[in-house]
Amino acid sequence: MPPLSLVEQAEQLRDLARQFEALHARVRDVSYTPGTDALRRISPLLLKAQDLTATIVVRLGALDGSAYASVAGSRASLECLASVVIASSLAGNDLASALYANPYEGAPFPGYPADDEAVRTARHAEAIPRMTGHLADAAHQLDLCATGCHYVATGITRDLAAAQEHAKPVQRTPAAPPRPSASRTPPVRR
């Protein structure tokens, strides 16, 4: 399989940025009721975040192993992409934390009384701010991911243009023939 061109890698990063932006919007706008509904609505967001994390790790490996790694300025882009891996992982962790904070409605251990409506309402009231905080943190991390992907895609394009400009041969214009100099001394007569 031929190596992926750097232009294609930049375009793939732009596409990945759009996917992070779409997930950011979904996380920011998710509506749920604590319990089973929250599990059904947040779980797909977590799975998508994990999928994007895996994809960004693959993109980082592809860039690190490509000719781009030898281009001046590429280190900053590679480090930025590594920070996107962290932010994407943190977004997944925040989504998982929202699921953990979710008050599930399972039955208690044998011998313990089932929750009455007041206890259930109190559990939900405690969970909602924690879940909302985790979802807000996840949305923030996903926004950082999108920004980082756009930054790296722009960096690749800029670095390649600079490398091509630097590699162009310098064209010299032919020197003009020397002109006779105007001497300050009068010409010698013979």
Side-chain angles (χ1 to χ4, degrees), residues 1-156:
M1 183 171 165
L4 190 62
S5 83
L6 295 176
V7 173
E8 288 177 65
Q9 288 189 31
E11 189 52 44
Q12 287 181 351
L13 286 170
R14 286 184 187 92
D15 180 58
L16 198 53
R18 289 187 289 273
Q19 291 180 53
F20 276 118
E21 289 164 349
L23 183 57
H24 169 260
R26 287 176 58 200
V27 168
R28 186 191 63 222
D29 297 338
V30 69
S31 170
Y32 61 90
T33 303
T36 303
D37 182 57
L39 179 63
R40 275 191 236 133
R41 294 179 186 263
I42 297 171
S43 293
L45 303 175
L46 172 58
L47 295 173
K48 181 63 177 177
Q50 290 174 331
D51 181 48
L52 290 175
T53 300
T55 302
I56 199 67
V57 169
V58 170
R59 294 280 43 91
L60 176 61
L63 272 179
D64 184 58
S66 72
Y68 180 64
S70 63
V71 173
S74 63
R75 182 183 309 161
S77 292
L78 292 171
E79 289 173 353
C80 182
L81 208 53
S83 76
V84 172
V85 171
I86 291 170
S88 183
S89 297
L90 289 173
N93 185 55
D94 289 325
L95 291 166
S97 295
L99 289 177
Y100 179 70
N102 186 30
Y104 296 96
E105 303 299 329
F109 286 110
Y112 287 88
D115 292 343
D116 63 11
E117 192 58 34
V119 171
R120 182 179 180 276
T121 301
R123 288 178 58 228
H124 285 211
E126 287 177 12
I128 289 173
R130 288 195 315 261
M131 293 174 72
T132 301
H134 291 304
L135 291 171
D137 290 345
H140 174 70
Q141 294 297 334
L142 293 167
D143 186 44
L144 293 175
C145 291
T147 301
C149 287
H150 281 302
Y151 176 82
V152 174
T154 300
I156 290 170

